[in-house]
Amino acid sequence: MRFRIADLSERTKLLFDIQTNMRNDIFKKTLANEDTIIEDLSLKLNAYSIWTNILQENPIAKQMIPEIFIDSNSSILFGCFGLYKYAYMCMRSELETALRLIFFRDHPKEFKWWLDGKIWYPGGNTSQVWGRDYTYFTNLEKIKMFDDNCPQGRTLFKEKNANIKKSYKLLSNYIHTGAKNFQTSKDRISPSYDLAKFNNWVEYWKIIESQVNILLCLGFFEELKSKSSDTYKSIKKSIDPIFHAILDGFFL
Amino acid sequence: MALYDFSSIKNDLISSLWKKNIMDIGNYIAKRRFHKQLKTLTLTHPRNMAEIKQLEEDKISKRRDIVGWNCEYQPCMRLETEGIKVKGGTKFEHSIYLDSSLKNNFNFDIINLDYTSQNPQKINGRFEDELLSLEHVIISRKRCLNDKKYSLILFTTMINTCDVKPKIIVSASNKLNPHSKPLAFSQNTNPIVNPIDKIDTISEYYNHMLERYKLKYISFEDKTIKLDNTTFVYSVASIIEW
């Protein structure tokens, strides 16, 4: 039977019309105003193909890096559609998956348990696979070295209000929909392109991208170090330049 | 970002080199079948999938029998929306020897190693990796032949000003098959600078594989397309009898 939009039931047709409007109106408006930025974000995404290539022999990374990529990519799509809250939610998923990947790298048995849905870690559902807080990461040699070399206010985990802790907390507010993180507003239910919200989201997208790639660089230090410096330099393009000098010390 | 417009080059290669060989392999493998239904692996990019459309039009491969490959995730996603099976997110030239699920299930009749579709960059080692992938493809294909006698391998690469180091190719190739006659290029071990010499290296490598894996080339045709004074695209089409 031939599929025709006109034959859809009323509410389904309305859903389709909303989606079409989002594509035609909001997405195009976003691209018309922000194509250079979107191009820049898309280029930064290429780091994940580089990571998958480096880590081809690591079955855990092979499974988790595409998931990190799709979260990041989906964030861009939601951002282009004016669905900024959901764009942040994707980033929270991306960051969490990256942290899990770093943990599972050295815990393949726990990875299998996690795949099977088992909860072995203290605190159960109120905790994370890597345990409470971020203590696990602060004990990893390369992350510790990186944080020791970071100026105050720029560390990943070391300080009380370190960057990744801050990011995770901020992004969690979108998952749990804090009052300041609503998608809707008093005057509008449907999404729209909003310059200020777009700019805020882009700024945070770049921060998360940078943090995830730093985590991967430090978490998979030996694997990245064994590749040519060109590989590191390609990944560096997705990392905030303020951290380049510190990372260069590890890889160049 | 693509350095050159490889899209129009692909169209030229399809009409002047690939199509004829594709039709030929169709006749070699499935002469009596109206739709040849060959299995194809093609390194491709959503900006130009003309070879996929050509395979369908000429009734060589159905879309369900085509596997597309791109080294980046976003083109892979776009290719998936075209209803073809897609693999990738990694460099094929690395995956063909690292990914056991790929190399142990390498049952393609047509293998299109179009490296110009993979956003080739001007970096050292790229050409060597791409060339070595040919040998990995031969090894993988041989392992999964079943009752097939013929394959078509299309190999397309960008030749630019980066030096080619034969030492790297020789060392890697000889490790793959330490009991057979070692590979040696006429250029010895010096880095190859001249584009003509780089093309000759490809021919020498093909000859070496002929001998090493006891292959027969039913056909061997090539084409060179100039992009600018220092950069070329070189494509080889060879029908192999195993």
Side-chain angles (χ1 to χ4, degrees), chain A residues 42-43 45-46 48-50 52-53 56-57 62 65-66 69-70 73 76-77 230, chain B residues 1 71-74 77 88-92 94-96 98-101 123-124:
Chain A
S42 296
L43 278 168
L45 274 182
N46 194 41
Y48 296 123
S49 297
I50 300 173
T52 310
N53 208 55
Q56 279 198 67
E57 293 173 287
K62 221 170 158 179
I65 287 182
F69 160 79
I70 205 73
N73 191 71
I76 294 176
L77 286 174
D230 283 338
Chain B
M1 204 191 310
C71 58
E72 294 180 32
Y73 282 126
Q74 278 187 322
M77 280 169 56
T90 55
K91 292 185 178 190
F92 179 83
H94 295 162
S95 294
I96 189 59
L98 289 173
D99 185 344
S100 49
S101 69
I123 52 170
N124 289 322

Side-chain angles (χ1 to χ4, degrees), chain B residues 163-217:
Chain B
D163 288 351
V164 168
K165 296 185 175 69
K167 252 194 212 178
I168 293 175
I169 303 167
V170 165
S171 164
S173 174
N174 289 337
K175 272 193 198 135
L176 287 175
N177 218 324
H179 304 297
S180 68
K181 185 180 163 189
L183 169 65
F185 288 114
S186 53
Q187 290 281 328
N188 290 319
T189 56
N190 298 324
I192 304 171
V193 173
N194 188 300
I196 307 292
D197 294 335
K198 289 172 190 173
I199 291 171
D200 287 344
T201 304
I202 298 174
S203 299
E204 283 188 64
Y205 196 56
Y206 264 90
N207 287 335
H208 155 75
M209 284 194 293
L210 195 91
E211 209 183 309
R212 181 177 264 188
Y213 298 99
K214 297 183 183 20
L215 309 174
K216 184 179 169 186
Y217 293 138

Side-chain angles (χ1 to χ4, degrees), chain A residues 40-246:
Chain A
D40 179 46
L41 302 191
S42 296
L43 278 168
K44 284 178 169 26
L45 274 182
N46 194 41
Y48 296 123
S49 297
I50 300 173
W51 279 116
T52 310
N53 208 55
I54 295 169
L55 302 172
Q56 279 198 67
E57 293 173 287
N58 183 315
I60 299 172
K62 221 170 158 179
Q63 210 165 323
M64 294 183 84
I65 287 182
E67 192 67 16
I68 296 172
F69 160 79
I70 205 73
D71 278 337
S72 189
N73 191 71
S74 299
S75 182
I76 294 176
L77 286 174
F78 280 129
C80 288
F81 280 132
L83 290 165
Y84 303 112
K85 171 177 147 184
Y86 308 97
Y88 284 100
M89 285 167 79
C90 286
M91 282 147 60
R92 158 69 154 75
S93 174
E94 181 191 349
L95 182 59
E96 189 169 17
T97 306
L99 289 165
R100 284 183 179 145
L101 172 56
I102 302 304
F103 173 78
F104 286 133
R105 180 200 192 270
D106 294 314
H107 296 88
K109 200 191 294 183
E110 284 82 347
F111 178 66
K112 195 165 180 313
W113 292 344
W114 183 65
L115 287 180
D116 292 339
K118 291 184 179 144
I119 296 174
W120 70 90
Y121 35 95
N125 279 329
T126 61
S127 185
Q128 281 285 6
V129 300
W130 58 76
R132 286 234 154 86
D133 203 14
Y134 299 93
T135 314
Y136 176 78
F137 299 103
T138 59
N139 285 311
L140 292 177
E141 185 206 342
K142 296 298 179 215
I143 289 179
K144 197 170 177 312
M145 273 171 66
F146 179 87
D147 271 358
D148 286 344
N149 279 293
C150 273
Q152 204 175 1
R154 297 238 168 109
T155 63
L156 295 175
F157 298 102
K158 192 174 164 181
E159 296 152 291
K160 193 178 169 192
N161 202 26
N163 282 321
I164 288 195
K165 295 180 188 180
K166 222 164 44 182
S167 294
Y168 199 91
K169 193 173 172 184
L170 183 142
L171 295 172
S172 295
N173 287 332
Y174 288 90
I175 297 283
H176 304 296
T177 312
K180 288 184 183 167
N181 309 114
F182 274 12
Q183 169 63 37
T184 57
S185 68
K186 241 183 354 184
D187 310 312
R188 195 183 173 111
I189 295 176
S190 67
S192 65
Y193 165 68
D194 180 302
L195 179 62
K197 287 184 184 178
F198 179 88
N199 285 340
N200 280 343
W201 160 70
V202 167
E203 190 191 323
Y204 233 85
W205 190 94
K206 289 181 181 176
I207 289 172
I208 298 303
E209 224 44 43
S210 177
Q211 289 173 356
V212 166
N213 276 288
I214 293 173
L215 279 173
L216 293 176
C217 284
L218 301 174
F220 291 95
F221 171 80
E222 283 89 18
E223 289 88 339
L224 182 55
K225 186 84 177 163
S226 70
K227 299 297 172 191
S228 73
S229 59
D230 283 338
T231 307
Y232 161 66
K233 285 173 187 168
S234 297
I235 290 171
K236 222 168 101 162
K237 291 175 190 170
S238 303
I239 294 173
D240 190 331
I242 60 172
F243 297 109
H244 284 183
I246 303 171

Side-chain angles (χ1 to χ4, degrees), chain B residues 222-241:
Chain B
D222 62 355
K223 180 161 182 162
T224 308
I225 298 174
K226 186 177 174 183
L227 300 181
D228 58 39
N229 286 337
T230 58
T231 312
F232 302 83
V233 164
Y234 178 70
S235 188
V236 179
S238 60
I239 295 179
I240 292 173
E241 184 177 352

